Amino acid sequence: MDYSTFGRHVAIDTWGVDFEKLNDAAFLEQEMIKAAEIAGATVLSSQKKQFDPQGATVLVLLSESHISIHTYPEKGFAALDCYTCGDTVDPQVAIEHMVKVLKPRETSVKMLKRGEGPIEIIK
């Protein structure tokens, strides 16, 4: 079987997010798994790390690639990204679920097209 190298990578910075949401690795892991499933991705595994005194990192490994979050609760900030190979899973759907859950005051988002020549910003 010949696989396409095409992929989409959505990166988003969020500000003004509630401290408690950003400081709960288990909650974030649960919501990111849900986000991946809503997007139609196949979840292979997940890992989380709760930092002391605050902060969390969560990585959800997908058959199609990954979704991750790194949080700074004391600043109300989280950096998320979702990369998916092929055109059957839309990473934007997963990111939109996380934005709905986190309810940030402000966001900055970019979508990149990858795997078909130079990386291209598509929105």
Side-chain angles (χ1 to χ4, degrees):
M1 179 175 250
D2 186 30
Y3 290 99
S4 167
T5 56
F6 168 77
R8 288 170 289 181
H9 196 163
V10 178
I12 184 169
D13 287 350
T14 63
W15 293 272
V17 180
D18 178 64
F19 182 97
E20 298 306 319
K21 287 181 181 174
L22 294 182
N23 202 40
D24 187 340
F27 165 77
L28 293 168
E29 179 183 41
Q30 172 188 318
E31 289 301 329
M32 288 176 56
I33 289 169
K34 194 183 299 180
E37 290 170 345
I38 289 168
T42 304
V43 174
L44 299 176
S45 66
S46 63
Q47 251 187 306
K48 64 183 177 299
K49 172 67 177 170
Q50 184 72 53
F51 293 99
D52 185 26
Q54 73 260 328
T57 292
V58 179
L59 172 65
V60 179
L61 183 64
L62 310 174
S63 179
E64 299 80 8
S65 195
H66 75 272
I67 180 171
S68 71
I69 186 169
H70 309 281
T71 75
Y72 302 82
E74 72 281 12
K75 299 189 183 298
F77 175 78
L80 298 91
D81 81 311
C82 184
Y83 177 56
T84 60
C85 301
D87 55 12
T88 57
V89 177
D90 186 350
Q92 185 68 38
V93 172
I95 294 297
E96 284 169 4
H97 173 78
M98 291 307 298
V99 168
K100 204 180 309 176
V101 166
L102 296 175
K103 298 178 174 49
R105 259 196 337 270
E106 197 180 327
T107 63
S108 175
V109 65
K110 291 280 184 265
M111 182 185 282
L112 306 174
K113 182 173 103 176
R114 302 181 66 183
E116 293 186 327
I119 295 173
E120 188 182 325
I121 298 173
I122 51 178
K123 81 175 167 184

